[in-house]
Amino acid sequence: MSLSRKERDHLAEVIQRENEMVLKVGRMVRNAFILTLAFAAVTYWGWSGMTDPMFPNIPMSVRNVAKWIALIGLILSGLFTILGFISHRNGKKSVLKKIDLYEEK
């Protein structure tokens, strides 16, 4: 199946736009993963009851609020990270298929 010149030009534009979006999603996944790690650390701190040498006198009420907010943030950012990773992987596959079509393999 041979593509006309107009179809090839349009496909090249589509490939370029999708590749840019895949790169943006990849950066968002990386940032969401870092946020997930931060929420995991705060959640662990809140639930473990360990005393922090930097802030040894934090009231238990503040620790309780922090642990619940961090737990909710951990769940949401973890879901976003997983779904974003799946989207990134599928986007890369889609771009590669379109590149193969463009190169007529």
Side-chain angles (χ1 to χ4, degrees):
M1 178 171 113
S2 181
L3 297 174
S4 69
R5 175 128 175 102
K6 187 175 183 181
E7 290 172 332
R8 286 178 57 85
D9 290 342
H10 178 67
L11 185 59
E13 291 173 10
V14 169
I15 290 171
Q16 183 177 359
R17 276 185 302 205
E18 280 191 23
N19 193 38
E20 290 171 2
M21 292 304 294
V22 166
L23 293 175
K24 285 181 184 179
V25 169
R27 286 190 294 270
M28 287 191 308
V29 168
R30 182 193 64 216
N31 293 338
F33 181 71
I34 292 169
L35 191 62
T36 301
L37 292 178
F39 278 130
V42 173
T43 302
Y44 176 75
W45 169 81
W47 288 95
S48 69
M50 69 181 192
T51 56
D52 188 13
M54 188 177 277
F55 304 109
N57 299 325
I58 293 182
M60 199 55 154
S61 60
V62 172
R63 183 182 292 264
N64 283 334
V65 170
K67 73 181 177 184
W68 284 106
I69 291 173
L71 181 64
I72 293 168
L74 175 65
I75 292 168
L76 292 176
S77 64
L79 284 173
F80 182 78
T81 301
I82 292 168
L83 293 175
F85 176 75
I86 292 169
S87 174
H88 182 258
R89 188 181 63 190
N90 289 339
K92 284 189 341 187
K93 287 180 183 178
S94 173
V95 168
L96 290 174
K97 284 181 184 177
K98 287 180 181 163
I99 289 173
D100 286 343
L101 179 63
Y102 182 81
E103 294 177 350
E104 296 179 6
K105 287 186 177 180

